[in-house]
Amino acid sequence: MPDFPVLPSMSLVPSMNRKLPLNTISASIAAIVFLLSAGLTALTRQPGWVIGGFVLALLVHLSLKMCNSWQRVLVLRAGKIQGLRGPGLFLIVPFLDQIDAVVDQRIRTVPVHTRQTLTRDTTPVDVDAVVFWMVHDPLRAITELDNYEGSVSMVALTTLREVVGSSDLATLLEDRRRIDGELRDLIEIKTREWGVTVQAVEIRDVQLPDSLQDAMSRQAQAERERAARVTLASAEREVAHELAQAAKTYEASPIALQILQINRIFEMNKNRGTTILMPTTMADAMTSATAFAAAMQTVQPETGTPAETGGVSG
């Protein structure tokens, strides 16, 4: 069975039952009233002043309440709802009015974690998500739900399991933005009637089983190796094509091949100062190729025809 999350806010007293902040204003007024009554008692020697001052100070302390700007207070009078009070100072009737709940309207977060949830393609995954929500209608949140914080967390958990179960693993890993928006819309539809607004839902992590991670790693490695081999084969095909074209060129012009050989030998011996031994036939071919190249470069400046090296007598 999947483990339900134990939230920090659920392990403590719910926020709607938290106490009001310390009201130093009512305490100060009550202390001033009591001190004045004590001073009057000391001057007049009548104990009734101190008794009346004590009762008045107690009534001030019990009737003058205060809550922060982000809090709202539900006041009941003899069990009937009188409405919300706050923020700031407000008055209640002592011993008749009762503060039943204090609602925090700030944006809060609920961590949600599902274990071994099957996706649509039957892959078990662990999903961690965070829900950002706030109370926009404190009266409805208090009167319609016993514990709206726990209800929001349970709705978020069940909705997350539903969305994960209806999505493929690839979609869950690659399209998280759409999944986040879908989660937010589905959760808000369920919680809007409770006076709760869902601001955003974010999937923090998707954990896969170790065996599946190993299989995906080997698959990715095989894909990379296949792509590398395809690239190498394509390069070899292009090189072979270029070599075939070069071979045709050298076949049509043997002198060009011999000049290329001379250039390669020159590049090999340019910076190393080594001695290269070659067959006599190859050296003779290179000599003739060098002479032919020199003859081709000797042209007449004006006509562009080779210069005559000697005359023929008829």
Side-chain angles (χ1 to χ4, degrees):
M1 294 294 293
D3 297 336
F4 290 95
V6 179
L7 306 179
S9 58
M10 296 175 61
S11 61
L12 302 176
V13 180
S15 63
M16 63 180 183
N17 294 325
R18 291 173 185 169
K19 296 181 180 180
L20 290 173
L22 180 62
N23 190 356
T24 58
I25 298 177
S26 62
S28 301
I29 295 175
I32 292 173
V33 171
F34 181 76
L35 292 175
L36 289 176
S37 63
L40 291 175
T41 301
L43 291 175
T44 60
R45 303 292 182 177
Q46 294 180 2
W49 287 104
V50 69
I51 296 174
F54 176 77
V55 174
L56 182 59
L58 181 61
L59 291 176
V60 169
H61 182 68
L62 293 177
S63 61
L64 186 60
K65 300 296 182 180
M66 181 184 70
C67 64
N68 295 322
S69 297
W70 56 86
Q71 292 177 329
R72 298 296 183 271
V73 177
L74 178 64
V75 178
L76 300 178
R77 180 170 296 174
K80 296 182 179 180
I81 297 177
Q82 293 298 307
L84 297 174
R85 300 291 185 269
L89 295 172
F90 60 93
L91 293 173
I92 63 174
V93 180
F95 307 107
L96 185 62
D97 291 347
Q98 176 186 359
I99 296 178
D100 182 72
V102 180
V103 181
D104 192 334
Q105 289 194 291
R106 291 176 293 184
I107 297 177
R108 282 173 282 177
T109 59
V110 173
V112 183
H113 177 69
T114 61
R115 295 183 179 178
Q116 299 298 316
T117 304
L118 292 178
T119 60
R120 187 166 60 179
D121 49 357
T122 64
T123 303
V125 295
D126 296 347
V127 182
D128 290 330
V130 179
V131 181
F132 299 86
W133 61 279
M134 64 173 294
V135 179
H136 70 268
D137 192 345
L139 186 59
R140 296 177 64 182
I142 296 172
T143 56
E144 295 187 9
L145 293 173
D146 178 46
N147 183 359
Y148 59 85
E149 288 188 352
S151 300
V152 170
S153 64
M154 292 298 105
V155 167
L157 178 62
T158 55
T159 305
L160 179 61
R161 293 180 66 87
E162 291 175 0
V163 172
V164 171
S166 61
S167 303
D168 295 331
L169 179 61
T171 303
L172 195 62
L173 295 176
E174 299 174 359
D175 198 4
R176 290 192 182 184
R177 291 183 179 273
R178 186 185 64 81
I179 299 295
D180 292 344
E182 183 179 353
L183 282 171
R184 187 191 66 81
D185 295 338
L186 292 176
I187 296 174
E188 188 174 7
I189 290 174
K190 299 177 182 178
T191 60
R192 187 183 302 143
E193 300 297 328
W194 304 340
V196 176
T197 299
V198 179
Q199 300 291 330
V201 179
E202 295 182 1
I203 296 178
R204 296 187 299 179
D205 188 21
V206 178
Q207 299 179 358
L208 305 177
D210 295 338
S211 58
L212 182 58
Q213 292 183 15
D214 182 63
M216 294 178 66
S217 176
R218 286 187 280 107
Q219 180 183 3
Q221 184 178 0
E223 289 292 335
R224 288 193 296 268
E225 185 176 356
R226 181 183 66 84
R229 290 184 178 182
V230 169
T231 303
L232 180 60
S234 177
E236 290 180 352
R237 183 172 61 253
E238 293 180 1
V239 170
H241 178 73
E242 296 296 331
L243 289 177
Q245 295 294 330
K248 292 180 180 179
T249 303
Y250 294 139
E251 182 181 4
S253 178
I255 300 300
L257 178 60
Q258 295 175 357
I259 294 175
L260 177 64
Q261 294 175 351
I262 296 172
N263 185 50
R264 290 288 186 269
I265 295 174
F266 173 75
E267 293 293 336
M268 293 171 55
N269 196 36
K270 179 172 60 175
N271 297 324
R272 300 179 183 177
T274 57
T275 302
I276 300 176
L277 301 178
M278 62 183 65
T280 306
T281 56
M282 184 176 180
D284 295 340
M286 290 183 179
T287 302
S288 60
T290 304
F292 179 78
M296 292 296 296
Q297 292 180 356
T298 306
V299 294
Q300 293 182 356
E302 296 181 356
T303 61
T305 58
E308 295 181 359
T309 56
V312 180
S313 58

